Amino acid sequence: MSIMAPAAEKNVTGLVAATFTPFTPEGELNLSEIGPYIDYLTEKQGVNSIFVNGTTGESMSLSVPERKILVEEWCQKAKGKMDQVIVHVGCMSLKDSQELARHAGQIGADGIAVISPSFFKPSTANALRMFLQEVASVAPTLPFYYYHIPAVTGVNVTARDVVEGIEKLIPSFRGVKFSGSDLMDFGQCISYSRPCWSILYGIDEQLLAALALGAHGAVGSTYNYVGCHINRLLSDFEKGDLIQARKIQFKLQELLLFATKLGFDLGVNKQLMNEVSGLNLGPPRLPVMPCPPDHALSIAQKYYSIFSEC
């Protein structure tokens, strides 16, 4: 394993693709797809930052050794091509999270993110902050992000309460990946944020609302295959052209509403990425079920009817 010096720290802005983990048909890691995957994101979608081993990457279905192997490959292949590689290191076990955090620092990741444990759940914001502090402490030079996704973790502590005073506990704290629908909580995180923080929104179909509240960027799974269109949404918003920005947001909503009626989940989302990108990322890992072929075809056809080539 090569040791890479960390890149110069900079705020995360724009789109960040939450990457899928490539598997073989037998369910093993398929590292050979990572290089072409990065090229696809940068060349076809105009997406130059990635969030790896997160929810979209099926991190909780991966072993610690698998997560290390993946991160090494992502960082190596992204070097010189990607602006940011943020690594999710959250686990149910504090020790596993610390092991992954140390490893991310050793191989030159640009930042780490941590989700709340969801089996033994922290009951207060303070308990969650203490967990995050313990993880961050083993990789003190890496920018650290709290990954807020209450619908998955079942931890009903507002992100605003979590970040209250967190910069004193975690000097490396640099922001939040906010994958929740509570826009008031999101707005309060923006209001409290420091100049060196990036508050990134993670509900793709509501991005425009988050931008109005001051989102610094966005992390999402759909940016793997609609990134070029959402980049135009960002540009339109920055120019003050809300009519065009809304049109693009509504298109993504139309696609996701159609997919949801067919049972849009991680397996379906991953297969849609396979269909659109031409990559071979394989099936999801059990207990997530593969996408029925007819569903994948229907959603892909809907995608092409809504979105033109970039």
Side-chain angles (χ1 to χ4, degrees):
M1 181 180 67
S2 62
I3 306 297
M4 296 168 55
E9 186 180 326
K10 55 186 175 180
N11 284 27
V12 181
T13 59
L15 295 186
V16 182
T19 55
F20 298 93
T21 292
F23 290 127
T24 66
E26 296 74 33
E28 300 301 323
L29 299 183
N30 184 8
L31 301 180
S32 65
E33 284 295 290
I34 288 179
Y37 192 160
I38 288 171
D39 290 340
Y40 172 80
L41 289 176
T42 57
E43 296 171 9
K44 301 296 186 181
Q45 297 298 333
V47 174
N48 299 305
S49 294
I50 50 177
F51 185 92
V52 305
N53 288 354
T55 304
T56 303
E58 303 178 68
S59 61
M60 296 304 172
S61 296
L62 302 170
S63 68
V64 168
E66 284 179 321
R67 288 171 71 168
K68 287 183 176 181
I69 291 169
L70 280 164
V71 169
E72 289 171 18
E73 192 71 14
W74 281 115
C75 285
Q76 181 184 2
K77 291 296 192 295
K79 187 176 182 182
K81 294 182 176 182
M82 286 273 172
D83 294 333
Q84 296 266 343
V85 179
I86 301 173
V87 179
H88 173 243
V89 301
C91 300
M92 296 303 100
S93 161
L94 172 62
K95 295 300 182 182
D96 286 347
S97 291
Q98 288 177 320
E99 183 177 345
L100 289 171
R102 288 191 193 94
H103 176 259
Q106 291 171 344
I107 63 168
D110 298 295
I112 53 175
V114 175
I115 199 172
S116 170
S118 57
F119 189 86
F120 292 114
K121 298 178 177 65
S123 57
T124 65
N126 185 56
L128 179 49
R129 272 195 302 269
M130 290 174 66
F131 180 86
L132 300 176
Q133 180 185 25
E134 287 296 309
V135 179
S137 68
V138 304
T141 64
L142 273 184
F144 183 92
Y145 301 86
Y146 165 51
Y147 179 6
H148 180 69
I149 184 167
V152 171
T153 63
V155 176
N156 295 312
V157 176
T158 65
R160 174 61 178 80
D161 284 346
V162 175
V163 302
E164 177 77 38
I166 200 168
E167 67 276 14
K168 299 172 186 175
L169 295 174
I170 305 175
S172 59
F173 188 81
R174 292 296 180 270
V176 180
K177 179 186 183 292
F178 192 104
S179 295
S181 58
D182 185 344
L183 288 173
M184 184 169 75
D185 187 24
F186 179 76
Q188 287 301 294
C189 289
I190 293 285
S191 176
Y192 183 81
S193 68
R194 306 307 187 232
C196 62
W197 292 11
S198 296
I199 310 297
L200 309 168
Y201 196 61
I203 306 293
D204 304 9
E205 61 271 26
Q206 295 183 174
L207 172 59
L208 187 54
L211 291 173
L213 286 169
H216 304 122
V219 183
S221 61
T222 68
Y223 307 144
N224 284 284
Y225 48 83
V226 296
C228 59
H229 301 285
I230 305 304
N231 273 326
R232 285 205 287 269
L233 183 156
L234 294 179
S235 178
D236 290 336
F237 178 80
E238 289 172 2
K239 291 185 295 186
D241 191 345
L242 291 180
I243 292 176
Q244 289 301 318
R246 286 190 198 112
K247 286 181 180 179
I248 298 169
Q249 184 73 92
F250 293 157
K251 284 182 178 182
L252 180 58
Q253 290 177 348
E254 182 183 350
L255 175 66
L256 295 182
L257 278 172
F258 178 85
T260 298
K261 291 176 181 178
L262 294 177
F264 190 63
D265 62 5
L266 178 56
V268 176
N269 200 11
K270 191 173 191 179
Q271 187 56 37
L272 179 58
M273 174 61 173
N274 283 328
E275 298 284 343
V276 172
S277 68
L279 296 168
N280 183 15
L281 305 180
R285 180 173 282 182
L286 289 170
V288 180
M289 294 298 291
C291 175
D294 57 331
H295 287 190
L297 180 60
S298 295
I299 297 170
Q301 289 173 340
K302 185 68 172 179
Y303 168 90
Y304 288 117
S305 73
I306 295 173
F307 291 106
S308 59
E309 292 290 329
C310 292

PDB file of all heavy atoms in Angstrom, residues 294-310:
ATOM      1  N   ASP A 294     -37.431  -6.087 -16.702  1.00  0.00           N
ATOM      2  CA  ASP A 294     -38.443  -5.253 -17.334  1.00  0.00           C
ATOM      3  C   ASP A 294     -38.543  -3.883 -16.671  1.00  0.00           C
ATOM      4  O   ASP A 294     -38.814  -2.874 -17.332  1.00  0.00           O
ATOM      5  CB  ASP A 294     -39.806  -5.946 -17.328  1.00  0.00           C
ATOM      6  CG  ASP A 294     -40.278  -6.316 -15.926  1.00  0.00           C
ATOM      7  OD1 ASP A 294     -39.428  -6.563 -15.047  1.00  0.00           O
ATOM      8  OD2 ASP A 294     -41.507  -6.353 -15.713  1.00  0.00           O
ATOM      9  N   HIS A 295     -38.292  -3.820 -15.351  1.00  0.00           N
ATOM     10  CA  HIS A 295     -38.288  -2.542 -14.653  1.00  0.00           C
ATOM     11  C   HIS A 295     -37.122  -1.682 -15.137  1.00  0.00           C
ATOM     12  O   HIS A 295     -37.284  -0.473 -15.371  1.00  0.00           O
ATOM     13  CB  HIS A 295     -38.191  -2.748 -13.145  1.00  0.00           C
ATOM     14  CG  HIS A 295     -39.455  -3.268 -12.536  1.00  0.00           C
ATOM     15  ND1 HIS A 295     -39.662  -3.344 -11.178  1.00  0.00           N
ATOM     16  CD2 HIS A 295     -40.589  -3.736 -13.100  1.00  0.00           C
ATOM     17  CE1 HIS A 295     -40.855  -3.837 -10.939  1.00  0.00           C
ATOM     18  NE2 HIS A 295     -41.439  -4.094 -12.097  1.00  0.00           N
ATOM     19  N   ALA A 296     -35.956  -2.299 -15.255  1.00  0.00           N
ATOM     20  CA  ALA A 296     -34.775  -1.559 -15.701  1.00  0.00           C
ATOM     21  C   ALA A 296     -34.993  -0.978 -17.087  1.00  0.00           C
ATOM     22  O   ALA A 296     -34.660   0.192 -17.358  1.00  0.00           O
ATOM     23  CB  ALA A 296     -33.549  -2.475 -15.699  1.00  0.00           C
ATOM     24  N   LEU A 297     -35.592  -1.770 -17.982  1.00  0.00           N
ATOM     25  CA  LEU A 297     -35.842  -1.313 -19.343  1.00  0.00           C
ATOM     26  C   LEU A 297     -36.835  -0.150 -19.348  1.00  0.00           C
ATOM     27  O   LEU A 297     -36.631   0.857 -20.040  1.00  0.00           O
ATOM     28  CB  LEU A 297     -36.372  -2.460 -20.194  1.00  0.00           C
ATOM     29  CG  LEU A 297     -36.677  -2.123 -21.662  1.00  0.00           C
ATOM     30  CD1 LEU A 297     -35.425  -1.634 -22.374  1.00  0.00           C
ATOM     31  CD2 LEU A 297     -37.262  -3.338 -22.369  1.00  0.00           C
ATOM     32  N   SER A 298     -37.897  -0.260 -18.553  1.00  0.00           N
ATOM     33  CA  SER A 298     -38.913   0.794 -18.504  1.00  0.00           C
ATOM     34  C   SER A 298     -38.337   2.108 -17.989  1.00  0.00           C
ATOM     35  O   SER A 298     -38.611   3.189 -18.533  1.00  0.00           O
ATOM     36  CB  SER A 298     -40.085   0.367 -17.623  1.00  0.00           C
ATOM     37  OG  SER A 298     -40.771  -0.730 -18.182  1.00  0.00           O
ATOM     38  N   ILE A 299     -37.527   2.015 -16.929  1.00  0.00           N
ATOM     39  CA  ILE A 299     -36.965   3.230 -16.339  1.00  0.00           C
ATOM     40  C   ILE A 299     -35.928   3.845 -17.273  1.00  0.00           C
ATOM     41  O   ILE A 299     -35.846   5.074 -17.409  1.00  0.00           O
ATOM     42  CB  ILE A 299     -36.366   2.934 -14.951  1.00  0.00           C
ATOM     43  CG1 ILE A 299     -37.474   2.466 -14.001  1.00  0.00           C
ATOM     44  CG2 ILE A 299     -35.678   4.167 -14.374  1.00  0.00           C
ATOM     45  CD1 ILE A 299     -36.961   1.928 -12.675  1.00  0.00           C
ATOM     46  N   ALA A 300     -35.140   2.998 -17.937  1.00  0.00           N
ATOM     47  CA  ALA A 300     -34.166   3.513 -18.892  1.00  0.00           C
ATOM     48  C   ALA A 300     -34.860   4.229 -20.046  1.00  0.00           C
ATOM     49  O   ALA A 300     -34.415   5.296 -20.495  1.00  0.00           O
ATOM     50  CB  ALA A 300     -33.288   2.382 -19.418  1.00  0.00           C
ATOM     51  N   GLN A 301     -35.962   3.659 -20.525  1.00  0.00           N
ATOM     52  CA  GLN A 301     -36.715   4.304 -21.598  1.00  0.00           C
ATOM     53  C   GLN A 301     -37.275   5.649 -21.129  1.00  0.00           C
ATOM     54  O   GLN A 301     -37.268   6.637 -21.882  1.00  0.00           O
ATOM     55  CB  GLN A 301     -37.844   3.379 -22.066  1.00  0.00           C
ATOM     56  CG  GLN A 301     -37.359   2.166 -22.837  1.00  0.00           C
ATOM     57  CD  GLN A 301     -38.462   1.179 -23.156  1.00  0.00           C
ATOM     58  OE1 GLN A 301     -39.524   1.171 -22.513  1.00  0.00           O
ATOM     59  NE2 GLN A 301     -38.230   0.322 -24.134  1.00  0.00           N
ATOM     60  N   LYS A 302     -37.759   5.691 -19.889  1.00  0.00           N
ATOM     61  CA  LYS A 302     -38.257   6.946 -19.330  1.00  0.00           C
ATOM     62  C   LYS A 302     -37.135   7.968 -19.232  1.00  0.00           C
ATOM     63  O   LYS A 302     -37.325   9.156 -19.550  1.00  0.00           O
ATOM     64  CB  LYS A 302     -38.870   6.695 -17.955  1.00  0.00           C
ATOM     65  CG  LYS A 302     -39.542   7.920 -17.332  1.00  0.00           C
ATOM     66  CD  LYS A 302     -40.789   8.325 -18.095  1.00  0.00           C
ATOM     67  CE  LYS A 302     -41.554   9.407 -17.376  1.00  0.00           C
ATOM     68  NZ  LYS A 302     -42.761   9.840 -18.119  1.00  0.00           N
ATOM     69  N   TYR A 303     -35.972   7.515 -18.802  1.00  0.00           N
ATOM     70  CA  TYR A 303     -34.804   8.399 -18.712  1.00  0.00           C
ATOM     71  C   TYR A 303     -34.517   9.046 -20.069  1.00  0.00           C
ATOM     72  O   TYR A 303     -34.344  10.271 -20.161  1.00  0.00           O
ATOM     73  CB  TYR A 303     -33.597   7.595 -18.230  1.00  0.00           C
ATOM     74  CG  TYR A 303     -32.272   8.318 -18.360  1.00  0.00           C
ATOM     75  CD1 TYR A 303     -31.787   9.116 -17.323  1.00  0.00           C
ATOM     76  CD2 TYR A 303     -31.505   8.212 -19.520  1.00  0.00           C
ATOM     77  CE1 TYR A 303     -30.569   9.790 -17.441  1.00  0.00           C
ATOM     78  CE2 TYR A 303     -30.293   8.881 -19.655  1.00  0.00           C
ATOM     79  CZ  TYR A 303     -29.832   9.654 -18.611  1.00  0.00           C
ATOM     80  OH  TYR A 303     -28.643  10.324 -18.739  1.00  0.00           O
ATOM     81  N   TYR A 304     -34.477   8.226 -21.123  1.00  0.00           N
ATOM     82  CA  TYR A 304     -34.125   8.758 -22.448  1.00  0.00           C
ATOM     83  C   TYR A 304     -35.230   9.648 -23.017  1.00  0.00           C
ATOM     84  O   TYR A 304     -34.959  10.538 -23.829  1.00  0.00           O
ATOM     85  CB  TYR A 304     -33.803   7.618 -23.403  1.00  0.00           C
ATOM     86  CG  TYR A 304     -32.482   6.956 -23.102  1.00  0.00           C
ATOM     87  CD1 TYR A 304     -32.421   5.617 -22.717  1.00  0.00           C
ATOM     88  CD2 TYR A 304     -31.286   7.678 -23.166  1.00  0.00           C
ATOM     89  CE1 TYR A 304     -31.214   5.012 -22.431  1.00  0.00           C
ATOM     90  CE2 TYR A 304     -30.067   7.070 -22.868  1.00  0.00           C
ATOM     91  CZ  TYR A 304     -30.037   5.737 -22.504  1.00  0.00           C
ATOM     92  OH  TYR A 304     -28.839   5.152 -22.208  1.00  0.00           O
ATOM     93  N   SER A 305     -36.468   9.427 -22.576  1.00  0.00           N
ATOM     94  CA  SER A 305     -37.548  10.278 -23.052  1.00  0.00           C
ATOM     95  C   SER A 305     -37.528  11.650 -22.380  1.00  0.00           C
ATOM     96  O   SER A 305     -38.074  12.626 -22.917  1.00  0.00           O
ATOM     97  CB  SER A 305     -38.910   9.602 -22.797  1.00  0.00           C
ATOM     98  OG  SER A 305     -39.249   9.637 -21.423  1.00  0.00           O
ATOM     99  N   ILE A 306     -36.907  11.737 -21.198  1.00  0.00           N
ATOM    100  CA  ILE A 306     -36.865  12.985 -20.447  1.00  0.00           C
ATOM    101  C   ILE A 306     -35.575  13.759 -20.691  1.00  0.00           C
ATOM    102  O   ILE A 306     -35.588  14.977 -20.903  1.00  0.00           O
ATOM    103  CB  ILE A 306     -37.010  12.711 -18.920  1.00  0.00           C
ATOM    104  CG1 ILE A 306     -38.386  12.120 -18.624  1.00  0.00           C
ATOM    105  CG2 ILE A 306     -36.784  13.980 -18.106  1.00  0.00           C
ATOM    106  CD1 ILE A 306     -38.545  11.658 -17.185  1.00  0.00           C
ATOM    107  N   PHE A 307     -34.448  13.035 -20.671  1.00  0.00           N
ATOM    108  CA  PHE A 307     -33.144  13.694 -20.756  1.00  0.00           C
ATOM    109  C   PHE A 307     -32.505  13.415 -22.112  1.00  0.00           C
ATOM    110  O   PHE A 307     -32.366  12.263 -22.533  1.00  0.00           O
ATOM    111  CB  PHE A 307     -32.214  13.191 -19.662  1.00  0.00           C
ATOM    112  CG  PHE A 307     -32.615  13.631 -18.278  1.00  0.00           C
ATOM    113  CD1 PHE A 307     -33.193  12.726 -17.394  1.00  0.00           C
ATOM    114  CD2 PHE A 307     -32.443  14.942 -17.862  1.00  0.00           C
ATOM    115  CE1 PHE A 307     -33.564  13.120 -16.110  1.00  0.00           C
ATOM    116  CE2 PHE A 307     -32.807  15.352 -16.595  1.00  0.00           C
ATOM    117  CZ  PHE A 307     -33.377  14.439 -15.725  1.00  0.00           C
ATOM    118  N   SER A 308     -32.075  14.471 -22.766  1.00  0.00           N
ATOM    119  CA  SER A 308     -31.331  14.329 -24.020  1.00  0.00           C
ATOM    120  C   SER A 308     -29.861  14.124 -23.697  1.00  0.00           C
ATOM    121  O   SER A 308     -29.432  14.219 -22.541  1.00  0.00           O
ATOM    122  CB  SER A 308     -31.511  15.577 -24.875  1.00  0.00           C
ATOM    123  OG  SER A 308     -31.042  16.726 -24.170  1.00  0.00           O
ATOM    124  N   GLU A 309     -29.091  13.848 -24.730  1.00  0.00           N
ATOM    125  CA  GLU A 309     -27.645  13.712 -24.525  1.00  0.00           C
ATOM    126  C   GLU A 309     -27.050  15.034 -24.057  1.00  0.00           C
ATOM    127  O   GLU A 309     -27.514  16.114 -24.449  1.00  0.00           O
ATOM    128  CB  GLU A 309     -26.967  13.292 -25.840  1.00  0.00           C
ATOM    129  CG  GLU A 309     -27.311  11.888 -26.296  1.00  0.00           C
ATOM    130  CD  GLU A 309     -26.707  10.816 -25.417  1.00  0.00           C
ATOM    131  OE1 GLU A 309     -25.618  11.045 -24.854  1.00  0.00           O
ATOM    132  OE2 GLU A 309     -27.341   9.742 -25.270  1.00  0.00           O
ATOM    133  N   CYS A 310     -25.996  14.929 -23.237  1.00  0.00           N
ATOM    134  CA  CYS A 310     -25.346  16.156 -22.743  1.00  0.00           C
ATOM    135  C   CYS A 310     -24.532  16.797 -23.855  1.00  0.00           C
ATOM    136  O   CYS A 310     -24.040  16.116 -24.735  1.00  0.00           O
ATOM    137  CB  CYS A 310     -24.427  15.816 -21.575  1.00  0.00           C
ATOM    138  SG  CYS A 310     -25.329  15.298 -20.108  1.00  0.00           S
TER     139      CYS A 310
END
